[in-house]
Amino acid sequence: MYPTLYRLEEKGYITSYKKQIGKRQVRIYYHMENLGKEYYAALKNAYFEIYHAVCNILAYSEGDSHV
């Protein structure tokens, strides 16, 4: 998970900040930036395009072309 978070932060999709909790523990909080929201929307749209295409293929192979 962390390598993915680091890559998203490098690309400017998210930002992070650290907060001291107790004497030794540090928490990292992540925030999605506007660029990240646009990237997420594009990924989601691409996913649904593929999903609908696969559904159409499966429906066609079952003899029903209405999806």
Side-chain angles (χ1 to χ4, degrees):
M1 176 173 77
Y2 289 104
T4 301
L5 287 171
Y6 298 148
R7 272 187 263 126
L8 291 171
E9 195 167 14
E10 285 175 8
K11 292 181 179 184
Y13 298 143
I14 63 173
T15 55
S16 67
Y17 70 92
K18 296 179 181 181
K19 184 174 181 180
Q20 186 78 28
I21 305 295
K23 291 183 182 181
R24 296 186 203 169
Q25 198 173 24
V26 175
R27 287 192 182 154
I28 301 175
Y29 293 90
Y30 293 94
H31 173 75
M32 187 181 299
E33 298 296 330
N34 287 335
L35 186 60
K37 290 175 185 178
E38 292 171 11
Y39 179 65
Y40 170 70
L43 285 177
K44 192 169 68 170
N45 287 338
Y47 168 80
F48 282 115
E49 285 179 16
I50 293 169
Y51 170 79
H52 290 299
V54 169
C55 285
N56 285 334
I57 291 169
L58 293 175
Y60 181 78
S61 68
E62 294 174 358
D64 181 18
S65 61
H66 304 301
V67 173

